[in-house]
Amino acid sequence: MTAFAAHERWALDFGLILGGLVLRNVRHDRYHLARDIRTARIWVDTTPPSRPSTNGRDWRGGKNLQSYILNSEELPASGGVSILGTNASETRHPRPPFAAYETPYGLEASFRSSVDYLSGSLNQVPISVTQRYLFGEYGKNPAHEPGAVLQAARLFPLLRFEFPPVADRSVPYPAYFRADFRIDVDLDNITESEIKRNALGPDKTMNKAGVFRDYDELMGLFGAGVSAVKGHTVPNSILSTLFAFYEKPISAEIASWGLARVGELPGVAYNETWDNVHIWPARRGVSSPGAFHALHCHWRWGAVAGDPSPSGAGSGEIPAAGQPQFKGLGWTKSSGGPLIDSSLPLQNLRFAIADAADTESDPNASEQDFASLFTKRFPRAHRAGSNVALWLSFEVMRGMEHVGETWGGWLFINGLYFAHNVDETPFMLRLAGAYGNGQRSGLGRSDDKMISKWERLARDD
Amino acid sequence: MPLNKSPSSFRSIRVYRLVDPGRLISNKESIHAALFGFRAPSGNGELFSVHPTSGYLFYSNYSYDEGRGDGGGLPPTSKDVERIAKGFLEVGNKRIVASPKLRQAGVPPLFPTDLRPVSIGVVGGGRTSSRPHWICIFSAFLAAGIDRTARVEGATIEVRVGNRGKVIGLNSRWRPVLGDLLTGELNDEASPADFHTRSPMEIVQPPTFSVSLPAKPAASQGTVLHLHNGGGALPAPHVHSNELDEVGQELVYNLPDDREAVSFLVPMRLSIGGHHGTLTPASRHSLSVEIFERASSGSLELMADVRGGSGKFRYAWGWSEIDDFIRTNEQRLGSSAAVRLTPGSRHVTVKVLDLLTGVSATCERMVVALGGDQ
């Protein structure tokens, strides 16, 4: 770990180490965002994994499944770290609509396998990936959320892969790619009481996380959507009217689904997945919507966010509704689309929010079944906050249309955004319970019993 | 138009003229010297910048995190820190005013005088890469009239204080004020004539003020985030009841996004409802614009929905492809109140300049224009 970069408002350390181009001590305006950001592992196979049941132990990869750690002997760096920013085009986000966010600074590194994948086969190919981190300016134009209220800075931890056209379809060829990202979140906790007691010691770095699934239709703040629903543990007029499902904060660590679009996925339907994760300092209340001091990561918005009707003149319901960054691929008026690269439409996303300490000594850890890295034990309680890492696992399948042509694109194009503002939650929202907590998920009605399920979905169980 | 309302129904409110950020940029070294005693950052972990569009100031001494050079302890209480932070800003203003070079360059005091603490606490230490230090966050208020003040929405000033009370960080999201003028206050949207004059020479009296004004808050009050030392979530920040009038509106001055160049700070009414707040003009100078879309055969019509101002506007539309870099490739789209877009995905901006008052407002958004029936 070498250099320190303080470009305008962003400050961080970065280096090429085992794990690729890794960012450490990432801060914006001197507010801490993360201790460590990396692509922990990539996986390649010639077939998607076999998933006969919901039990992760039953899941199997194909016989050509291989994993790589970036900047390892198997996948060394080709060149050093490039610092981007000398001209505008090199720091431009490669995928619309995110190119509209100004990202004047970036870092890039590329890697190429020392031995070809499927070596000896007609379809042997080198594994070639590029990491590109882009750092955005602080603001709200373009809007980060449909209400166009929140000022934040974007961070895009992009990864690109590419495979050439298949030479011989009759033998195995690369058809599955997966990349796991790990973000050791580290938001500031303001602790006046400790200084008064002269008890400054190791920072306990307690952050809280919440998961949410948006409604696809517009719900009124005090509309008829409020109802007693099985699994709705806390009557809360804000959360239940704005979100279809939620755990705020999560009761315990969680390993679940963000996108379930491709393949046989027993036990999870496409509309039972979560849409976003928010992480905030545990010692502060956070409003929903709003979250003015938090890490935000959205990979899908409800359909209404992509519909310009609520933003029309005189309406003013949702000022930025209809803008492309809220639509996603294949958006319709009844269902928002995933924020993914259109050249890689066949994607699933799994995620986990788990204690960072468990993987601190081996941050490149990864398992054939993503969730198995975490599910060897019961999930620990989280309601009071903990030192968490956010994991995101993007898996991509190769469609038949990409067999005869180059297959590749960018992952994690949605990135995340970091807000560190004075709380500007509207007064009426505060009165209505915007700071309230609650749960509606596959957790069940009671949140007092010991949590045994890692995989809690956005549905009533 | 005859003046048929009593003089007592006419109410004035302040509008503030802002300094051109270019003056701050071209005097960056002198400003740094006035604030920190040296003409330029030491280059040893120090950073000082002036945002090219907004003029926002940012300073950070990262060498503090490496423990260089300064022993001693942190100020013991939040009151001490508030005093140190306010003192730093006050002294900074005095030095700016006392500097002949900066006076001649037309650089005004950099920080508002009415600052109210929002949050004060300690950050850093332990697993983080920062040494423990204090952060003190202020909201800014401006006088709206002789007997009331208004919060500046979007303005915050953060001061970070390290060992021995040394300022190690400054993040000033504030645009220095050159001066102010009085204009008529608007309080009722029902009358379009209140928004527009038919000629520059016409005087339009606003209707009788119908909403109770909030009592003027004392300068020492503010909305302070009280921090607890226990676990669990904090209570919602306390909001003084006199910050809102009877209909849930708050009078604010609205600072736009970092990237929007503006010359005036104008009063707006922040109305709370639904998922967000909406801003409406609160004076004859106040101006806001939104982009309204309407499908027409084979294209998309964009209209600038302007609220407030004199009615005498200049429009400047620009667009760029969404997969293109915004600033270098923006193209002109038109100069009327409405323009047409052919099919495609674009980033569109419209800037409206009030030709009578000089106030401007900008709206930018991404637009998808579909072909055929949309």
Side-chain angles (χ1 to χ4, degrees), chain A residues 8 29-32 35 102 139-141 151 190-193 203 242 283 316-317 325 387 427 430, chain B residues 47 60 78 121-122 125-127 130 135 158 168 171 173 229 234 239 244 257 259 275-276 327 366:
Chain A
E8 295 299 327
D29 278 357
R30 218 168 166 151
Y31 286 98
H32 286 89
R35 276 189 91 217
E102 272 205 65
K140 57 183 180 182
N141 275 311
Q151 297 210 42
I190 298 176
T191 53
E192 178 182 352
S193 62
D203 181 13
L242 294 176
R283 292 180 183 271
E317 278 283 350
Q325 70 271 37
N387 175 21
F427 183 62
R430 300 184 205 176
Chain B
L47 178 70
S60 187
S78 59
V122 172
R127 294 181 77 243
S130 296
I135 179 169
E158 301 165 0
I168 61 166
N171 187 9
R173 303 179 64 80
N229 61 352
L234 295 171
V239 178
L244 296 164
D257 184 86
R259 292 166 50 193
H275 303 185
H276 57 274
R327 293 196 186 278
M366 285 186 276

Side-chain angles (χ1 to χ4, degrees), chain A residues 54-65:
Chain A
T54 57
N55 188 338
R57 289 189 293 274
D58 294 338
W59 293 15
R60 292 287 179 268
K63 59 182 178 180
N64 295 305
L65 180 67

